[in-house]
Amino acid sequence: MPLDPVAPAAAVGGGGPSVRPRNVTMREVAERLGVSIKTVSNVLNERPNVGPATRERVQQAIRELNYRPQVGAQQMRTGTTGLITLAIPSLAGTYFSELAQAFADEAQRRRRSIMLHSTAAGREEEASVLSGFTRVLGDGVVFNPLQIGEDVVAGLDRTIQPTVFIGEHLEETGLPAGSDYVRTDNASAAEDATRHLLDLGRTHVVYLGALDVVEAQQAHSTSRLRLCGFHRAIAEAGLGEGVVQTVPTWTQEGGLGAVQTLMREHPETDGIVCGNDDLARGVLLGLRGLGIDVPGQVSVIGHDNILESPFTTPPLTTIDPDKQALAATVLDLLIERIGGYDGPPRVVEAPYRLVVRGSAG
Amino acid sequence: MPLDPVAPAAAVGGGGPSVRPRNVTMREVAERLGVSIKTVSNVLNERPNVGPATRERVQQAIRELNYRPQVGAQQMRTGTTGLITLAIPSLAGTYFSELAQAFADEAQRRRRSIMLHSTAAGREEEASVLSGFTRVLGDGVVFNPLQIGEDVVAGLDRTIQPTVFIGEHLEETGLPAGSDYVRTDNASAAEDATRHLLDLGRTHVVYLGALDVVEAQQAHSTSRLRLCGFHRAIAEAGLGEGVVQTVPTWTQEGGLGAVQTLMREHPETDGIVCGNDDLARGVLLGLRGLGIDVPGQVSVIGHDNILESPFTTPPLTTIDPDKQALAATVLDLLIERIGGYDGPPRVVEAPYRLVVRGSAG
DNA sequence: CGACTCTAGTTCAACGATGTACCTTGTGCC
DNA sequence: GGCACAAGGTACATCGTTGAACTAGAGTCG
């Protein structure tokens, strides 16, 4: 074995800190075995034309030298990095942080990494997602727009990178080429939730979750859509308009306060459809405080199936948007596009299911 | 110009979808202006030896062509990507998701991107962080170990990538070369919190947050350290042992249930130090339910200063670990290491401060 | 036996950006 | 006029990996 003229990261003698080892390259692996670089590459990429003995020796050497491919070089050759950008409004908030976690898990399972891009700053930040960031890095984008509406998205005739939109904002038509869309049908979900309570024989079912500030209500499309589903179910059952209880914020405190008002003004209430599980948790606490039995006197149903929902007293019945499945679907679509698929935009309805626990049913 | 034998993604005729444009390269920018590639590079990297006129023309062309540097190529030349790996247990949970958000913000401010790596799976996943993932991608790692203790970290004599540990687990001595450590002093913080209540004249101050399952208590070092700080403050004030109220989980429900038990068994309680803000929120609700005035009869203090803390009734006094500042400190240390600094491990105490709101003081 | 095919490899040229070394002007000054 | 020198560039090698194209040898078959 010839001596390397430039000792690669020689250990410093004495008590000084050891020097960070240079990254091992394929060349070093190849040289140690006396094979060509390409053979090492073939082993790594599971290409044919490598004998089993050689394959084994290469794998051994890779382990011993602790070799890892350098993604930058791969990007140059192949154009891909295995990186996916997740652009969401903010991690602060139960739903989005759990969603991000689901994406992290599912991406890891598919041997991709997630790059986090927070669009909390608003419209401008969101626009930068669509115009393609400042550096070419990821292979594709998962984008949950909040501020940006159909107008901006529709203005594109083609996304810069493969993109999958998620959410409930966009029109199904008019998606730019090169993108897909995974819709969450919040209206139908809320309709199902409401109907579940009606099916249990409840006759005075209330929606708790409209925002009490009008502008907020306008902007908060999730709230709007869920309310709409509630109205549909109530109307279908021939119960007229239905009672709607507003809240200041979609938090536990908000739910707790609102349910006290509600039960005072509408003591006949026997079912409450909550905008989300945080609200529902507050509602459960509030009802307990008022000495009202759940689900004996009042049934309560939430939305989101957050991690804590099974642990409330009683356990919360809720709509599970199945974040894990959503992430899986989104990633599969995106990876297909990254892989070269360039068909017209696909729209997929994200599944959700009713999780029946103690609080209703 | 010779024709490319393999047309790179030729446009489909007819009404088919438009084809994704190939990435613009520096060469194209240079050719359009009739300057050399290097000049474009010099403009981008703000190198000297470019005349103002040329500089302006280049910038113009970059904008027009929508050129963006390709990170893979940069990694090859310079060895860096501007990517930082954030390895944390899980995004599910208020504290960690807010922390991740802080890192995302601060990284964006420093023109870096955050790669999310969830170590929720446990020891094995955490070990893989230290042994350097499966691909060379990021420039450095921010690592909040939970399961992994000093033994594993101390076993390393040098980290593979520049690494900053965060948390409260590790001994300050024995950190591997190439790493730094930003400590959160949970014990002192809890001590300060307790002392704040004592300074307000409270004499029967309780710690609410020990876990009621012994093994859980063992593992949950945050809880242990905060309890320890509580004990220190109580002992220092000459109040003996101090009362400790256990909880089943560090959630709002946990706090609500526990405070009911507490006030039954220790009605003399006039101050409650909560393990975190989720617990404290439950405590506030519980006290309200019991008709106990906060802060009139009982002062309540939390820990973490989560986003909802200012909005409880009354607003929650709490210890603010200043996640934004923590993220900033961590990133600055890490970026310095990435930049080549290779001094001995540094240990930085993360600042925290007492945020006085309505619930105490 | 010669023409094939198959296997297990090899060599070479890229991918895009940047550091180093070099070249070309124009200008000032003796 | 001749020389030094700076400003504003250019040319080229290089980073690590992989696709395309090639080769040497062994096996197969008419």
Side-chain angles (χ1 to χ4, degrees):
Chain A
M1 179 174 135
L3 280 176
D4 212 340
V6 178
V12 175
S18 59
V19 166
R20 197 175 306 282
R22 262 215 336 78
N23 276 332
V24 182
T25 76
M26 270 182 33
R27 156 174 274 109
E28 290 167 56
V29 176
E31 271 170 7
R32 160 187 262 247
L33 297 176
V35 300
S36 79
I37 296 184
K38 190 69 224 288
T39 298
V40 179
S41 168
N42 284 337
V43 171
L44 275 161
N45 297 291
E46 292 172 337
R47 288 271 129 69
N49 297 344
V50 183
T54 313
R55 184 177 301 273
E56 187 48 52
R57 286 201 313 144
V58 169
Q59 277 161 346
Q60 177 75 14
I62 286 174
R63 273 193 302 273
E64 282 173 17
L65 294 175
N66 197 25
Y67 166 79
R68 282 152 232 291
Q70 191 158 313
V71 176
Q74 290 177 322
Q75 182 186 21
M76 289 202 69
R77 274 304 301 175
T78 65
T80 56
T81 55
L83 266 178
I84 288 168
T85 305
L86 178 65
I88 53 177
S90 163
L91 286 172
T94 321
Y95 176 73
F96 277 122
S97 65
E98 290 185 10
L99 184 65
Q101 178 65 38
F103 270 102
D105 288 346
E106 291 297 325
Q108 244 155 287
R109 185 162 304 160
R110 288 164 178 73
R111 338 204 103 245
R112 320 272 148 148
S113 303
I114 289 289
M115 264 175 42
L116 204 53
H117 188 94
S118 164
T119 56
R123 263 191 99 83
E124 297 232 344
E125 271 295 328
E126 294 202 351
S128 94
V129 172
L130 290 174
S131 66
F133 308 101
T134 46
R135 307 180 301 161
V136 177
L137 189 46
D139 300 337
V141 186
V142 177
F143 183 22
N144 191 326
L146 258 197
Q147 313 261 338
I148 272 191
E150 300 148 25
D151 49 334
V152 179
V153 172
L156 301 168
D157 57 335
R158 133 85 53 202
T159 54
I160 292 177
Q161 286 190 73
T163 303
V164 178
F165 295 97
I166 55 183
E168 65 223 329
H169 274 260
L170 309 173
E171 277 301 315
E172 307 200 357
T173 56
L175 290 169
S179 73
D180 297 311
Y181 181 27
V182 179
R183 277 179 51 87
T184 335
D185 194 340
N186 277 295
S188 295
E191 192 178 340
D192 289 358
T194 310
R195 203 174 303 127
H196 175 67
L197 298 192
L198 296 172
D199 288 349
L200 289 172
R202 301 305 182 173
T203 49
H204 294 87
V205 177
V206 174
Y207 178 79
L208 183 146
L211 291 167
D212 54 12
V213 181
V214 175
E215 309 90 71
Q217 183 67 23
Q218 295 288 326
H220 199 309
S221 72
T222 305
S223 159
R224 233 168 45 227
L225 289 163
R226 291 183 185 169
L227 178 56
C228 171
F230 166 79
H231 281 314
R232 285 209 308 247
I234 292 291
E236 192 185 278
L239 295 173
E241 275 276 292
V243 174
V244 173
Q245 172 64 48
T246 62
V247 297
T249 59
W250 274 28
T251 60
Q252 200 157 355
E253 281 84 4
L256 174 62
V259 76
Q260 287 164 345
T261 313
L262 172 68
M263 295 314 289
R264 187 163 5 94
E265 297 179 359
H266 296 278
E268 75 283 8
T269 300
D270 58 4
I272 305 178
V273 177
C274 303
N276 74 358
D277 283 1
D278 283 324
L279 284 170
R281 286 168 70 198
V283 165
L284 290 181
L285 291 174
L287 291 175
R288 186 143 36 115
L290 294 169
I292 296 174
D293 182 49
V294 177
Q297 293 170 260
V298 176
S299 297
V300 176
I301 191 166
H303 200 133
D304 281 354
N305 194 25
I306 65 179
L307 285 171
E308 302 208 352
S309 301
F311 306 112
T312 56
T313 28
L316 187 61
T317 294
T318 188
I319 296 286
D320 179 10
D322 202 344
K323 309 170 199 84
Q324 209 75 27
L326 172 65
T329 308
V330 168
L331 288 178
D332 287 339
L333 289 172
L334 185 57
I335 288 170
E336 214 178 317
R337 287 231 174 249
I338 292 168
Y341 173 82
D342 198 27
R346 296 167 287 186
V347 178
V348 177
E349 205 60 52
Y352 61 86
R353 65 207 170 86
L354 180 68
V355 178
V356 179
R357 300 202 189 96
S359 75
Chain B
M1 179 175 134
L3 279 177
D4 210 340
V6 178
V12 175
S18 59
V19 165
R20 197 175 308 281
R22 258 212 346 75
N23 276 331
V24 181
T25 76
M26 268 181 37
R27 153 174 277 111
E28 290 167 56
V29 177
E31 271 170 5
R32 160 187 261 246
L33 297 177
V35 300
S36 81
I37 296 182
K38 192 66 224 288
T39 298
V40 179
S41 167
N42 284 338
V43 171
L44 275 161
N45 297 290
E46 291 172 339
R47 288 270 128 72
N49 296 343
V50 183
T54 312
R55 185 177 300 274
E56 187 47 53
R57 286 201 312 142
V58 169
Q59 277 161 347
Q60 177 75 13
I62 285 175
R63 272 194 302 275
E64 281 174 17
L65 293 175
N66 197 26
Y67 165 80
R68 280 153 234 289
Q70 190 158 314
V71 175
Q74 289 177 322
Q75 181 185 21
M76 289 202 68
R77 275 305 304 178
T78 65
T80 55
T81 54
L83 265 178
I84 288 169
T85 305
L86 177 65
I88 52 176
S90 164
L91 286 173
T94 320
Y95 176 72
F96 278 121
S97 64
E98 291 185 7
L99 184 65
Q101 178 65 40
F103 271 101
D105 288 346
E106 291 296 325
Q108 243 156 285
R109 184 162 305 159
R110 288 164 179 73
R111 338 204 104 244
R112 319 272 147 146
S113 302
I114 288 289
M115 263 176 44
L116 202 54
H117 187 93
S118 163
T119 56
R123 264 191 97 82
E124 297 230 346
E125 272 295 329
E126 295 201 350
S128 93
V129 172
L130 290 175
S131 67
F133 309 101
T134 46
R135 307 181 301 162
V136 178
L137 227 182
D139 299 338
V141 186
V142 177
F143 184 21
N144 190 325
L146 259 198
Q147 312 262 338
I148 272 190
E150 301 148 23
D151 49 333
V152 179
V153 172
L156 301 168
D157 57 334
R158 130 90 49 207
T159 53
I160 292 177
Q161 286 189 73
T163 304
V164 178
F165 295 97
I166 54 182
E168 64 224 328
H169 274 260
L170 308 174
E171 277 300 317
E172 306 199 359
T173 56
L175 290 169
S179 73
D180 297 311
Y181 181 27
V182 179
R183 278 179 52 87
T184 337
D185 195 342
N186 277 295
S188 296
E191 192 179 340
D192 289 358
T194 310
R195 203 174 302 127
H196 176 67
L197 297 193
L198 296 172
D199 289 350
L200 289 172
R202 300 307 182 172
T203 50
H204 294 88
V205 178
V206 175
Y207 178 79
L208 184 145
L211 291 167
D212 54 12
V213 182
V214 175
E215 309 90 71
Q217 183 66 23
Q218 294 289 328
H220 199 309
S221 72
T222 305
S223 159
R224 234 168 45 227
L225 289 163
R226 291 182 185 169
L227 177 55
C228 172
F230 167 78
H231 281 314
R232 284 208 310 245
I234 292 290
E236 191 185 277
L239 295 174
E241 275 276 291
V243 175
V244 173
Q245 172 65 48
T246 62
V247 298
T249 60
W250 274 28
T251 61
Q252 199 157 356
E253 281 84 4
L256 174 62
V259 76
Q260 287 163 344
T261 313
L262 172 68
M263 296 313 288
R264 189 165 1 96
E265 296 178 0
H266 296 277
E268 75 282 8
T269 300
D270 59 3
I272 306 180
V273 179
C274 302
N276 74 358
D277 282 1
D278 283 324
L279 283 170
R281 287 167 69 198
V283 164
L284 291 180
L285 292 173
L287 292 174
R288 183 143 38 116
L290 294 169
I292 297 174
D293 182 48
V294 177
Q297 293 169 260
V298 176
S299 298
V300 176
I301 190 165
H303 200 133
D304 281 355
N305 195 23
I306 66 178
L307 286 171
E308 303 208 350
S309 302
F311 307 112
T312 56
T313 28
L316 187 61
T317 295
T318 188
I319 296 288
D320 180 9
D322 202 344
K323 307 170 200 83
Q324 209 76 28
L326 172 66
T329 309
V330 167
L331 288 178
D332 287 339
L333 289 172
L334 186 58
I335 288 170
E336 214 178 314
R337 287 228 172 249
I338 292 168
Y341 173 81
D342 198 28
R346 295 167 287 186
V347 179
V348 177
E349 205 63 50
Y352 61 87
R353 62 207 172 88
L354 179 67
V355 178
V356 179
R357 300 202 188 95
S359 75

